[in-house]
Amino acid sequence: MTSREYFDAAASSQRRIDGRLAAIASMREREGARAQRYGVGGGSGTSDPMRAVDARMDAEREAEAELASLRADVEDARRVCAGIRRANPSQPLWGDAIELHWLDGKTWFSVALDLGVSERCARTAAYAALDWVDMVGIAAAREGCGQAALF
């Protein structure tokens, strides 16, 4: 697995986490928003006000194991970014550019703004870091081993 594939997978995990949490939040929101009906003939039969709560609780229970696994993937990728920073103090943008783009889901424009550099500089830093990770390996990068050659 290349470093690009590794970080793409971590980005996918983060998007799945965000989607699951948004779905659960939406379910919670629907629980609290109940329409009031007044007058005769307003109802269409019997209703169970706890049905939405039960459905949300079931969804949370089902998502628990998946979310834990997805979070572990993202946290491991964040540890790799931290290792990139430790191993390459002369390249301060490398770990940040990868983390902001792949793990935080920011556009290159937003990454550049956050780092105070041009978009091209942010991309160049991220891709140089990916090349370095491919050179030393993901496990070594996670531990902060290896160092980029100084030119």
Side-chain angles (χ1 to χ4, degrees), residues 13 27 44 53 55 59 85 88 93 98 104 113 120 123 133 140:
S13 293
M27 293 173 97
S44 61
V53 173
R85 289 183 197 98
N88 300 287
L93 301 178
I98 289 177
D104 294 343
L113 283 177
R120 182 177 179 182
R123 283 180 201 249
V133 172

Side-chain angles (χ1 to χ4, degrees), residues 73-105:
D73 293 343
V74 173
E75 287 307 311
D76 186 63
R78 289 190 192 280
R79 283 192 294 277
V80 172
C81 289
I84 291 169
R85 289 183 197 98
R86 278 193 313 276
N88 300 287
S90 64
Q91 304 295 336
L93 301 178
W94 283 14
D96 293 342
I98 289 177
E99 191 164 358
L100 289 169
H101 182 68
W102 274 277
L103 304 180
D104 294 343

Side-chain angles (χ1 to χ4, degrees), residues 9-124:
S12 175
S13 293
Q14 184 60 55
R15 286 190 303 274
R16 289 175 61 194
I17 290 168
D18 295 343
R20 278 289 206 159
L21 294 178
I24 291 169
S26 176
M27 293 173 97
R28 281 191 180 134
E29 198 171 294
R30 281 193 304 262
E31 287 171 20
R34 297 268 181 243
Q36 296 294 320
R37 295 189 179 174
Y38 300 101
V40 178
S44 61
T46 61
S47 66
D48 181 4
M50 289 302 292
R51 188 177 316 147
V53 173
D54 292 340
R56 185 216 7 111
M57 291 173 68
D58 289 343
E60 285 179 343
R61 214 173 299 112
E62 289 172 11
E64 198 171 296
E66 181 186 13
L67 287 173
S69 173
L70 294 171
R71 284 183 178 126
D73 293 343
V74 173
E75 287 307 311
D76 186 63
R78 289 190 192 280
R79 283 192 294 277
V80 172
C81 289
I84 291 169
R85 289 183 197 98
R86 278 193 313 276
N88 300 287
S90 64
Q91 304 295 336
L93 301 178
W94 283 14
D96 293 342
I98 289 177
E99 191 164 358
L100 289 169
H101 182 68
W102 274 277
L103 304 180
D104 294 343
K106 294 189 175 196
T107 64
W108 286 115
F109 179 77
S110 295
V111 172
L113 283 177
D114 287 355
L115 298 177
V117 297
S118 69
E119 283 184 62
R120 182 177 179 182
C121 183
R123 283 180 201 249
T124 300

